Amino acid sequence: MSLSPLDPAGLPPAVDVSDNSAALHAVDEVIARGPYDATWDSLTRYQPPQWYRDARFGIFIHWGAISVPAFGNEWYPRTMYQQGTAAFEHHRTTYGPHRSFGYKDFLPHLTMEHFDPAQWAGLFRRAGAQYVVPVAEHHDGFAMYETARSRWHTGNIGPRRDVFGELLTALDEAWLVSGASSHRAEHWFYMNPGLAFDSDVRDPDFLDLYGPALRKEVTPTERFLEDWLLRTVEIIDTYRPQLLYFDTGIEEPSFEPYLRRLAAYYYNRAAQWGREVVINAKWEAFRPGSVVPDLERGSLATTSPEIWQNDTSVSRSSWCWVPDHDYKSAADLLAELADAVSKNGNFLLNIGPKADGTIAEEEAGLLEAIGDWLAVNGESIYGSSPWRIHAEGPTRTPAGPHSDGAAASYGVGDYRFTAMTEVGHDYVYAIALTPVHADRLRVRSFGRSSGLLERPITDVRVLGFRGELIWTVTDDALEVVLPEELPPTAGGPVIRIELAPEEPHRRIDFFHGIGI
């Protein structure tokens, strides 16, 4: 493949960020005004907002120059410099010596000429997402937003547009909540393999892109930590995201005082805007109770009393665009969504757009299929709460992070449960985790002898069907005859039961009770 290298003559001068004293003073002034201060005692008073608890489903976007080589996965900017790896050999064979063509030389080829933010926002709405979190900067040090702290951003190189800002504007116009994801923390060591041999990472002209390039074992410098904080503050002030997602790296002990300052600043700025916001982080980098914990590609073993999030991807093999993805099926993804929500979690699903600004047909198709299922069954997801138990069935979901390497073999009888109370009406939902080809379903947890129903069942529905159902309750189970007219979707059907009221109803539930 023949790609022209970056022309350094077309770059503006490097940005001097060596003196951060004034910017840090401005941060501390915002913190001083409250309502939060930069202590864990203060920050653990935080409560996740209702919009986030109700949303349950969001879209994650890994985009950037990593989609130009589109080889392996999103760690190519590092592995291409790791001698002896497939990425290293691929790079040398395809693009030539690393000294002559390095990672920086991919940046002009992130053209995004077909990027249509309104079209993307429309797709995300049809998918049923309630919030969208594009990556602002990945480990590679190239910002997808216009930053005053670096010359390496999409306004100067590649698209020559603020693609991040344009997308957030389109999301706002589509009534979607927008967030921002920062993966910059790992940049302190990310490009280090390029220092081990004659590569462009050694070139002093590109130090401001390739960063410290320290070894992973070395603690980040104060200057790097200050820059990390101020880049995040810049994203907050410029774009006002209602969710900040942080990848790994920030759990390093040296980040701790900067995390406290960042959280206090963000929560205080949100209070000034009159908005409620969320921070997602992994590995207890923040003190528990101060943010919403995130579990990458994983699930909990049981229901959490506090809200959490599973972030995963449509692909098992990569977060960014590559042509040879190992895609999950729509049924797999819907089962993961139901599993997370049943345990009081949200589900943040990643896609990886191409370098030309388009979303691959396979990935758009998966989102459309999820949206079709949610259009019928969303009542069991949005605004729902955990029930007394989260699951029924023989198949167990692996617990812990990075546990989605293989599809779970769900069958008939595998369910996830959610619940909702609306104007005095109490509903419980049994979400089948696989498309059902039988003519009836049995839910043992809804049987009279299960001990799980504190009141009798007064009504049974299959979501998406408005007619009369045939159903019976025995000591062993609730048995429902599935109607032939049920709309086909990629996921399993949802059975909804209504429990007898604790006191006479004062209101009719028009929207759920009679389906207006």
Side-chain angles (χ1 to χ4, degrees):
M1 180 184 296
S2 177
L3 293 179
S4 57
L6 173 76
D7 179 7
L11 289 174
V15 179
D16 183 3
V17 291
S18 59
D19 183 1
N20 295 313
S21 54
L24 292 170
H25 178 71
V27 169
D28 291 336
E29 284 187 325
V30 172
I31 296 172
R33 289 196 289 268
Y36 291 91
D37 61 47
T39 65
W40 292 126
D41 284 345
S42 175
L43 295 169
T44 51
R45 299 200 314 266
Y46 166 80
Q47 291 293 321
Q50 194 64 45
W51 72 258
Y52 182 76
R53 296 175 184 275
D54 289 345
R56 292 303 188 189
F57 176 46
I59 300 289
F60 205 3
I61 306 172
H62 275 64
W63 54 354
I66 47 179
S67 63
V68 176
F71 182 87
N73 57 40
E74 70 284 354
W75 277 67
Y76 185 85
R78 179 174 170 86
T79 56
M80 64 174 271
Y81 291 105
Q82 288 180 318
Q83 298 175 75
T85 65
F88 181 92
E89 297 302 330
H90 168 82
H91 188 87
R92 187 169 58 180
T93 301
T94 308
Y95 305 107
H98 293 69
R99 179 73 182 181
S100 304
F101 195 101
Y103 183 68
K104 70 182 184 306
D105 299 296
F106 289 119
L107 304 184
H109 302 283
L110 178 68
T111 55
M112 297 190 70
E113 69 270 24
H114 299 303
F115 174 53
D116 184 340
Q119 183 183 63
W120 284 23
L123 172 62
F124 302 153
R125 281 195 75 193
R126 294 194 302 276
Q130 304 300 299
Y131 59 103
V132 180
V133 186
V135 168
E137 181 181 341
H138 207 255
H139 312 315
D140 59 354
F142 183 61
M144 297 299 290
Y145 65 99
E146 290 195 1
T147 171
R149 297 192 61 83
S150 172
R151 58 180 172 162
W152 301 97
H153 61 79
T154 58
N156 286 337
I157 309 169
R160 298 190 179 274
R161 304 163 58 178
D162 182 3
V163 291
F164 183 87
E166 289 181 31
L167 179 56
L168 263 60
T169 297
L171 296 173
D172 185 62
E173 291 173 351
W175 296 92
L176 294 170
V177 175
S178 59
S181 173
S182 172
H183 306 242
R184 171 133 188 113
E186 291 188 294
H187 190 62
W188 100 76
F189 68 84
Y190 196 64
M191 310 305 290
N192 175 261
L195 293 179
F197 66 102
D198 186 24
S199 83
D200 64 330
V201 177
R202 291 179 170 182
D203 192 326
D205 289 341
F206 307 115
L207 275 171
D208 57 329
L209 171 63
Y210 292 136
L214 302 174
R215 288 188 60 87
K216 174 65 169 66
E217 300 85 356
V218 177
T219 299
T221 63
E222 288 185 353
R223 180 176 167 184
F224 178 85
L225 293 165
E226 289 173 357
D227 185 59
W228 173 87
L229 172 65
L230 294 174
R231 285 186 186 228
T232 312
V233 163
E234 182 184 44
I235 293 169
I236 291 168
D237 288 341
T238 304
Y239 301 102
R240 297 190 175 188
Q242 282 192 255
L243 185 149
L244 280 179
Y245 172 102
F246 291 106
D247 202 356
T248 54
I250 61 170
E251 71 276 7
E252 296 290 333
S254 56
F255 276 87
E256 192 268 351
Y258 297 88
L259 297 181
R260 288 188 280 106
R261 289 168 86 179
L262 185 279
Y265 184 88
Y266 184 40
Y267 292 160
N268 290 351
R269 290 290 282 141
Q272 294 172 4
W273 309 332
R275 290 287 185 269
E276 292 184 299
V277 297
V278 175
I279 294 175
N280 292 144
K282 308 171 187 175
W283 305 118
E284 295 191 351
F286 292 79
R287 182 74 61 84
S290 62
V291 302
V292 174
D294 180 90
L295 194 64
E296 181 176 329
R297 288 188 179 274
S299 179
L300 300 181
T302 189
T303 302
S304 169
E306 304 297 332
I307 193 164
W308 61 284
Q309 181 174 268
N310 169 16
D311 75 286
T312 191
S313 185
V314 295
S315 167
R316 300 185 195 280
S317 51
S318 176
W319 292 82
C320 74
W321 162 252
V322 293
D324 54 350
H325 273 301
D326 177 14
Y327 281 119
K328 300 174 182 178
S329 69
D332 292 339
L333 295 170
L334 288 165
E336 288 188 65
L337 167 64
D339 182 70
V341 174
S342 73
K343 299 169 184 173
N344 202 24
N346 280 17
F347 187 65
L348 183 63
L349 179 62
N350 176 74
I351 61 166
K354 298 181 179 181
D356 65 0
T358 60
I359 296 171
E361 289 184 10
E362 298 92 335
E363 300 184 25
L366 288 170
L367 295 186
E368 298 276 13
I370 291 170
D372 290 344
W373 185 88
L374 284 167
V376 175
N377 300 295
E379 178 186 328
S380 65
I381 299 295
Y382 305 119
S384 67
S385 301
W387 190 46
R388 293 187 165 194
I389 60 171
H390 72 272
E392 174 182 319
T395 309
R396 292 292 174 260
T397 302
H402 301 281
S403 56
D404 68 341
S409 300
Y410 294 120
V412 175
D414 284 310
Y415 299 98
R416 292 297 180 269
F417 298 105
T418 61
M420 181 177 63
T421 296
E422 185 77 7
V423 295
H425 297 255
D426 293 319
Y427 305 111
V428 184
Y429 303 87
I431 305 169
L433 295 185
T434 185
V436 175
H437 304 292
D439 63 350
R440 64 193 62 213
L441 289 177
R442 298 180 78 251
V443 184
R444 292 181 291 105
S445 300
F446 292 164
R448 286 192 294 262
S449 63
S450 70
L452 295 169
L453 299 177
E454 68 275 21
R455 284 169 276 147
I457 297 172
T458 61
D459 185 57
V460 177
R461 304 285 178 99
V462 175
L463 297 187
F465 179 68
R466 293 174 179 268
E468 291 295 322
L469 280 181
I470 300 173
W471 58 275
T472 56
V473 180
T474 67
D475 287 344
D476 294 333
L478 166 70
E479 185 169 297
V480 179
V481 177
L482 294 177
E484 294 181 358
E485 302 90 337
L486 204 60
T489 64
V494 177
I495 296 172
R496 187 193 79 184
I497 64 171
E498 182 174 357
L499 302 179
E502 293 184 304
E503 57 184 45
H505 289 142
R506 296 180 181 178
R507 290 179 60 179
I508 296 173
D509 182 3
F510 287 102
F511 292 99
H512 301 102
I514 58 177
I516 293 179

